Amino acid sequence: MASDAQGRAHRRIDLRIADYLLARLERIRGDEVTVVLPTPGGYATSSVMIANALGRFPRSTAVVPYMALSGGPLIALGAREIAIGRCAALSAVDPVGLV
């Protein structure tokens, strides 16, 4: 697990993270959602599940403040719009395995 300068933890995207986010997305009543993606990436299946859920919103935005690696860009591509910070980095879509 990595952390940023403020000490916030950035865990790999796994089924536990996907379950949490999918449950939160299910509770949104409107047609608009924004997700912030400071992530080192994670598993392919989990990333695809989140990307698919974002794609179901007519107005979805993925915000990449400074990095979205591995499965992170895959999630961002599921959104209708991507907002990238001035010094942000996106890596190749190369998630870890299929979990």
Side-chain angles (χ1 to χ4, degrees):
M1 181 165 27
S3 65
D4 65 12
Q6 287 84 28
R8 293 181 298 225
H10 300 292
R11 289 181 258 156
R12 294 216 175 266
I13 302 161
D14 59 16
L15 285 177
R16 187 176 45 178
I17 297 293
D19 283 342
Y20 172 78
L21 287 174
L22 294 173
R24 297 290 302 256
L25 292 171
E26 282 288 320
R27 286 186 284 215
I28 295 173
R29 295 290 169 229
D31 64 352
E32 182 175 4
V33 66
T34 299
V35 295
V36 181
L37 291 172
T39 179
Y43 293 95
T45 302
S46 302
S47 298
V48 168
M49 290 167 60
I50 297 166
N52 288 341
L54 284 178
R56 291 187 187 107
F57 286 87
R59 298 184 326 181
S60 56
T61 303
V63 177
V64 180
Y66 57 91
M67 74 168 185
L69 310 177
S70 182
L74 183 59
I75 293 171
L77 289 171
R80 309 282 177 173
E81 182 177 328
I82 302 172
I84 300 174
R86 186 178 301 243
C87 297
L90 295 174
S91 74
V93 176
D94 58 351
V96 182
L98 297 175
V99 176

